[in-house]
DNA sequence: GAGCGTATCAAACGTCTGTTTGAAAGTAAA
DNA sequence: TTTACTTTCAAACAGACGTTTGATACGCTC
C-alpha cells in the first residue's frame, strides 16, 4: 500500500512540477497563437498563473521554454501507425492527410505543437533546428517514401521531392493563411467535417498530380 | 525646352522625395526579410542612410510606412497580361505560375512586395486588410476564373475554391518554408532554372489535380 | 542677404521586453 | 523546532523599441 506522500507524488506530483506543466501548457497556447517575437513571457506566466521569474527559474530562458514546449510525439505516432497499417499506399496517404489536417486545424486537438511548427517555418528561431531535425525532416522522409510507393522507381529524386513539397504546401497553407482565409470567406467554419473534406481534397488532388507525374515520366 | 529646375525635378526629384524613396526601398527590403514585429525602424533607417525620425516625419508611423511600401502593381500587371493573352487556359496557368514563382523566389526580382505579402499572411498586421483587399482577393479571384475555364461548370464552388487553395498553397510553401528547405536540402540553389522547374511542376501537378476533380465530379 | 517653410539630426521620452535579484514562503529531513 | 534546500514573489534591471522634441541646416522666394 502506498503512503500518503507517495500518493501525492504520483497523483498531483510536486508543486514545482505542477507549475512546470502549467507553464508548458500556457507556452504551447501562446506560441501557437503568436510569433516567437510576438509571444511574451509575461502573458505566458499570466495564463499559467505563475510569476514572471518562473520561466527563467524552470527553463533558463524564453528560448529554453520553447525548446521544452516542443514535443512531436503525436506527429511521430501518426507516421508510425501509418507505416504499420495494412492498407495500400494511396489509402494510407488519404488517412494520413486527414489526420494531419485535423492536427493542424482542429482547435479541439490538444496537439498545438504542429501549429507552433507551422508558425516557426517563416521566422527562424534558435528552436528551428530542433523542429527541422525532429519533426519536419522525418515528415518529409515519411511522405517521400509513401509517394515513392505510389509512383514507382521511374521518377527522379528531384520530382519526388517536389511532390512532397506540393503535398506539405497544401496542408500548411490552411494553417499559415488562416487569418487571410477568414477574411476571404468569413462565413466558412472550420469544423471537423470541413477539415476532413479539406484532407480528402488534398489527397485526391495530390494523388492525381502524382499519377500524372508517373505518366509524364514514362512517356 | 525644359528649364534647369524642371529637369532637376524630373530627373533627381527633390531631396525630400529621394529620402522617401530610399526609405520605401529599405522598408521593402527589411519587411520582406523579417516579420513586422521583427523589422525595426532603426534598421530601415540605417539601410536608407536616414535619421530615425525620418520614418515618422514622412510616413507618420511604422504602420504607415508598411502601408505605403506595399504596392502590388507588378502582381496586378501579371494577371492583366495573362487574362489578355490569347493562349488556352492551361498554358496561361503554366505561364502565370512560372512568373509568380519568379516574383516570390527570385532574389534578383525587384518586387519584394509579394514576399512581404507572404510573410504577413500568418501574422495579422494593421496592413493585412489592405493586402487582402488589393492583392490576395484579386489573386484568388483570378485563379478561380482560370481554373473554372479549365474545369468547366460541373464542379461546385467549394471544390473550385479548394483547388485555388491547393495552387496558392504550393506556391507560397516555397517562400514560407525557405529557411526550412535550406536546412533540408542545403546544396539546392534557387536559381532561375530551378525556380522555373518548380513553376512547371506546380502547373503539371495542379492541372492533373484539376483534371481529376473534373472526372470525379462527372462520374 | 533676409525671411520662411521644409527637412534633417542627435538626443531624449515613455513603454515594453527578457532577465535578475534578494527576500519571503514553502517543504522535508534531522 | 531547527536546519538546509527549493520554489515563489514583487521589484528592479538593462536594453530595445517606436515615437517625440527642439535645435540646426537647407532650399527657395523676395
Amino acid at each position: 500500500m502506498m503512503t500518503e506522500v507517495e500518493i501525492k507524488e504520483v497523483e498531483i506530483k510536486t508543486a514545482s512540477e505542477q507549475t512546470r506543466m502549467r507553464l508548458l501548457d500556457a507556452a504551447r497556447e501562446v506560441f501557437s497563437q503568436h510569433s516567437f517575437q510576438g509571444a511574451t513571457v509575461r502573458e505566458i506566466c499570466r495564463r499559467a498563473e505563475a510569476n514572471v521569474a518562473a520561466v527563467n527559474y524552470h527553463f533558463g530562458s524564453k528560448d529554453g521554454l520553447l525548446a521544452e514546449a516542443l514535443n512531436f510525439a503525436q506527429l511521430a505516432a501518426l507516421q508510425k501507425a501509418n507505416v504499420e497499417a495494412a492498407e495500400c499506399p494511396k489509402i494510407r496517404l488519404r488517412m494520413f492527410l486527414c489526420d494531419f489536417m485535423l492536427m493542424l486545424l482542429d482547435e479541439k486537438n490538444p496537439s498545438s505543437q504542429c501549429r507552433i511548427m507551422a508558425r516557426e517555418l517563416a521566422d527562424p528561431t534558435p528552436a528551428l533546428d530542433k523542429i527541422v531535425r525532429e519533426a519536419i525532416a522525418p515528415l518529409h522522409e515519411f511522405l517521400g517514401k509513401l509517394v515513392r510507393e505510389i509512383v514507382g522507381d521511374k521518377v527522379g529524386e528531384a520530382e519526388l521531392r517536389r511532390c512532397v513539397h506540393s503535398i506539405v504546401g497544401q496542408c500548411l497553407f490552411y494553417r499559415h493563411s488562416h487569418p487571410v482565409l477568414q477574411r476571404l470567406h468569413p462565413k466558412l467554419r472550420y469544423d471537423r467535417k470541413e477539415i476532413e473534406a479539406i484532407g480528402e481534397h488534398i489527397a485526391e488532388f495530390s494523388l492525381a498530380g502524382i499519377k500524372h507525374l508517373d505518366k509524364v515520366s514514362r512517356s
Side-chain angles (χ1 to χ4, degrees), chain A residues 18-150:
Chain A
Q18 277 190 59
T19 64
R20 261 186 71 97
M21 292 295 177
R22 287 205 316 275
L23 281 171
L24 287 171
D25 284 341
R28 285 188 262 262
E29 211 177 303
V30 174
F31 280 133
S32 72
Q33 287 171 359
H34 306 80
S35 72
F36 181 74
Q37 307 202 46
T40 69
V41 172
R42 280 174 169 80
E43 189 184 348
I44 291 171
C45 291
R46 194 178 51 73
R47 293 204 200 187
E49 298 183 53
N51 188 272
V52 220
V55 164
N56 291 277
Y57 177 78
H58 286 282
F59 303 99
S61 68
K62 187 185 177 184
D63 284 0
L65 173 61
L66 174 60
E68 289 219 35
L70 292 171
N71 180 338
F72 302 106
Q74 195 185 343
L75 181 61
L78 214 62
Q79 295 170 35
K80 186 161 180 288
N82 195 280
V83 167
E84 292 169 351
E87 322 291 337
C88 76
K90 294 183 187 179
I91 294 184
R92 274 163 50 214
L93 181 64
R94 276 197 195 87
M95 286 165 44
F96 179 78
L97 287 176
C98 279
D99 291 340
F100 188 45
M101 291 314 289
L102 282 169
M103 281 183 76
L104 279 176
L105 294 180
D106 193 357
E107 304 295 339
K108 296 185 206 71
N109 193 307
S111 169
S112 48
Q113 279 87 351
C114 283
R115 292 195 280 280
I116 303 176
M117 176 191 77
R119 186 168 286 287
E120 291 290 317
L121 291 194
D123 243 319
T125 281
L128 182 59
D129 283 317
K130 179 184 176 181
I131 298 176
V132 170
R133 202 181 333 112
E134 298 184 8
I136 302 178
L139 172 67
H140 280 239
E141 203 176 330
F142 162 77
L143 284 174
K145 284 179 184 167
L146 195 49
V147 172
R148 176 62 81 193
E149 283 190 61
I150 297 170

Side-chain angles (χ1 to χ4, degrees), chain A residues 181-189:
Chain A
L181 291 178
Q182 277 196 323
R183 282 170 167 81
L184 277 180
H185 315 290
K187 35 190 180 176
L188 193 59
R189 299 293 307 157

